[in-house]
Amino acid sequence: MNQKTQNGLPRSWTTLASSVRARAEMAPGDLMNLAHLEKLRLCSALESIADGLPNVDCARWLGTANAIVPLLRDIHNFEETVIFPAYKACLTSAEVDLGTTGRLRLEHIKDQCFAGELAETLLAIGKGDPIESAEAIGFMLRGFFEGLRRHIAFEREHILPRIGVADAGTPG
């Protein structure tokens, strides 16, 4: 693990997303690929935590817990205000009726609620609360990051190509 991710997730998306100048200088496709990269880093951090159970690295758990909700909130806001309208503009009237962006927005809401619960759990344990069931925590973590990875895969396969964004690929 490098210095940039030692205590949780890198702040690159959150910093970039909050910078109006940076958003204006980058193409939406580049930002979307960066957003996917950041969400996949989150998934990797959560998977590492799950794989390490029942051991707890307090700094890592706290850093991840503090990053998860704002990261998803900022990325989802970007997707819903920039990417989804661009996608809908490329659809035929029959395709608009399929409700893809509505379903993805609903997934965003569910992911953010789940992220809030996950953050509370990680914060509590990171601050010293005992782990009552490592299996339950592992199941919770895996349920979240596997769903997030499926969501990203769908966007990469269906949304991005439609709006002319080249997939940056899966980080190695």
Side-chain angles (χ1 to χ4, degrees):
M1 179 172 291
N2 64 33
Q3 185 70 18
K4 193 173 179 184
T5 60
Q6 184 173 349
N7 293 321
L9 301 172
R11 301 287 187 242
S12 58
W13 172 264
T14 305
T15 302
L16 187 59
S18 64
S19 168
V20 174
R21 181 174 169 219
R23 281 189 306 215
E25 291 175 359
M26 288 185 74
D30 293 336
L31 283 168
M32 189 64 178
N33 281 320
L34 178 60
H36 283 162
L37 178 64
E38 293 300 320
K39 288 197 291 188
L40 289 170
R41 286 182 181 157
L42 169 64
C43 291
S44 293
L46 295 171
E47 186 171 24
S48 177
I49 289 170
D51 290 347
L53 287 167
N55 299 319
V56 176
D57 175 341
C58 293
R60 177 191 244 180
W61 284 51
L62 292 171
T64 302
N66 286 320
I68 190 172
V69 171
L71 177 76
L72 287 181
R73 180 194 59 233
D74 291 345
I75 290 173
H76 290 164
N77 181 57
F78 168 74
E79 289 178 2
E80 292 175 10
T81 59
V82 176
I83 299 300
F84 291 177
Y87 172 73
K88 285 179 86 171
C90 296
L91 300 178
T92 66
S93 59
E95 291 170 323
V96 170
D97 290 339
L98 294 174
T100 301
T101 56
R103 182 180 59 80
L104 292 173
R105 279 188 169 96
L106 184 58
E107 286 181 17
H108 286 173
I109 292 167
K110 290 178 180 180
D111 286 346
Q112 286 178 235
C113 290
F114 198 170
E117 293 174 20
L118 191 55
E120 286 178 22
T121 300
L122 294 173
L123 282 170
I125 295 169
K127 290 180 179 179
D129 285 3
I131 295 178
E132 294 181 22
S133 171
E135 294 81 17
I137 300 296
F139 185 77
M140 182 182 196
L141 289 162
R142 291 184 196 288
F144 179 78
F145 69 72
E146 287 173 0
L148 201 54
R149 285 177 174 155
R150 278 192 300 274
H151 183 93
I152 292 166
F154 180 85
E155 289 177 342
R156 285 180 162 183
E157 293 170 5
H158 299 283
I159 305 295
L160 297 185
R162 196 60 181 260
I163 63 174
V165 175
D167 185 352
T170 303

